[in-house]
Amino acid sequence: MKPQNRTVRIALAAILVAAPASIAAASVSHAAATATVVSAAAVGLDDAHKKDIAMQLVSSAENSSLDWKAQYKYIEDIGDGRGYTAGIIGFCSGTGDMLDLVQHYTDLKPGNVLAKYLPALRKVNGTESHTGLGTAFQKDWATAAKDTVFQTAQNDERDRVYFTPAVSQAKADGLRALGQFAYYDAIVMHGPGTDAVSFGGIRKAAMKKAKTPAQGGDEATYLNAFLDARKAAMKTEEAHSDTSRVDTEQRVFLNAKNFDLNPPLKWKVYGDSYAINS
């Protein structure tokens, strides 16, 4: 949190000089409360509590559960052409991030139970194939998920590929926690590329419709444009054509002007209701 700035302190001093004691006391109380609100609003998605909220929101859509820490063991083929989808953020065997994850795990712990699948993961990268993986790989993934080193590797790759780039770009665009989450959820589903249906392309399409706050634009107007562009990208894929994670989740928070993503939060994804109360 940012400390109370010089402008606030100077303003309080001026009030104390110019006003009677009772008015000054009331003004100090009001200014202190205002400063508290401003400080709270300055908390970004990289704050530990906000990050946990973000993970719960993503997990509600990816795994129909708020218990994101139970998803280290998750693995299945959801039929989206990306092969296996697995772990806390949906690492995919067909898009390269699962390969990078297993390589990072092996760098941290040589000889781990998944290391032997690295050649197969290299071969299936870019395809939906399970060749060299299959049931044995799924079982070994579940075994590895019990290893805290593998959990750390998943956390590391989530941050390196998705979370940190999304939050950094959102902050540069002048967006608060809600906008940072909108970027993060988009990059998780669509990837960090620059084509029309990747995160970079979605952001570019939004910026053609509205200015970012950093460019002097209105935050709500820009976020609506971003969510519109996100929905358009989602509808290009049958597996992602249900846009409720935008319509009945992020848009709900935006319509409530909850730019700081502060609980209590209530939303629906794929028809299921969720809540974070604190």
Side-chain angles (χ1 to χ4, degrees):
M1 292 185 182
K2 295 181 179 179
Q4 193 179 70
N5 61 35
R6 286 185 69 254
T7 303
V8 172
R9 292 199 298 270
I10 292 169
L12 291 178
I15 290 170
L16 290 171
V17 170
S22 60
I23 296 176
S27 298
V28 169
S29 176
H30 175 73
T34 301
T36 299
V37 171
V38 170
S39 295
V43 174
L45 208 66
D46 46 3
D47 168 81
H49 182 54
K50 296 285 188 183
K51 188 173 186 178
D52 186 69
I53 288 174
M55 289 302 297
Q56 291 183 66
L57 290 169
V58 169
S59 186
S60 73
E62 296 285 327
N63 306 104
S64 300
S65 169
L66 297 185
D67 187 4
W68 67 269
K69 293 180 181 178
Q71 309 310 321
Y72 290 108
K73 65 181 183 295
Y74 164 73
I75 181 167
E76 68 173 323
D77 188 327
I78 63 174
D80 63 354
R82 293 179 172 90
Y84 286 118
T85 295
I88 57 171
I89 210 64
F91 301 99
C92 295
S93 59
T95 61
D97 56 354
M98 182 180 285
L99 170 60
D100 289 345
L101 167 60
V102 176
Q103 183 62 64
H104 180 48
Y105 180 32
T106 303
D107 291 341
L108 295 176
K109 188 176 182 177
N112 69 75
V113 69
L114 296 180
K116 61 181 175 286
Y117 295 103
L118 282 169
L121 286 169
R122 293 189 185 99
K123 288 181 179 179
V124 302
N125 188 22
T127 77
E128 60 183 331
S129 173
H130 297 171
T131 302
L133 301 173
T135 302
F137 177 67
Q138 291 178 279
K139 290 181 178 178
D140 285 339
W141 184 281
T143 298
K146 300 173 185 177
D147 183 359
T148 56
V149 178
F150 187 47
Q151 294 172 15
T152 295
Q154 289 198 37
N155 294 343
D156 289 348
E157 287 300 288
R158 170 202 62 197
D159 291 350
R160 182 182 71 85
V161 181
Y162 301 106
F163 188 82
T164 299
V167 172
S168 296
Q169 183 61 70
K171 286 185 174 182
D173 287 344
L175 300 172
R176 287 174 278 178
L178 175 57
Q180 292 166 31
F181 175 71
Y183 275 22
Y184 176 48
D185 191 63
I187 204 171
V188 164
M189 175 179 281
H190 302 279
T194 58
D195 60 274
V197 294
S198 293
F199 169 73
I202 293 169
R203 176 174 171 268
K204 184 177 180 180
M207 292 175 70
K208 289 181 179 179
K209 300 291 184 179
K211 292 182 178 180
T212 68
Q215 295 173 322
D218 176 74
E219 190 167 13
T221 300
Y222 173 73
L223 284 178
N224 271 309
F226 182 82
L227 294 181
D228 287 344
R230 167 84 189 280
K231 284 183 62 176
M234 291 173 72
K235 289 180 177 179
T236 65
E237 294 185 81
E238 179 60 32
H240 296 143
S241 59
D242 185 324
T243 59
S244 60
R245 68 198 289 166
V246 171
D247 302 326
T248 55
E249 182 188 288
Q250 294 173 52
R251 195 87 73 177
V252 170
F253 306 148
L254 179 55
N255 289 341
K257 298 190 182 301
N258 189 355
F259 295 107
D260 301 307
L261 206 60
N262 288 328
L265 299 168
K266 293 183 179 181
W267 72 99
K268 291 183 179 181
V269 180
Y270 310 136
D272 297 325
S273 298
Y274 299 93
I276 297 175
N277 295 315
S278 61

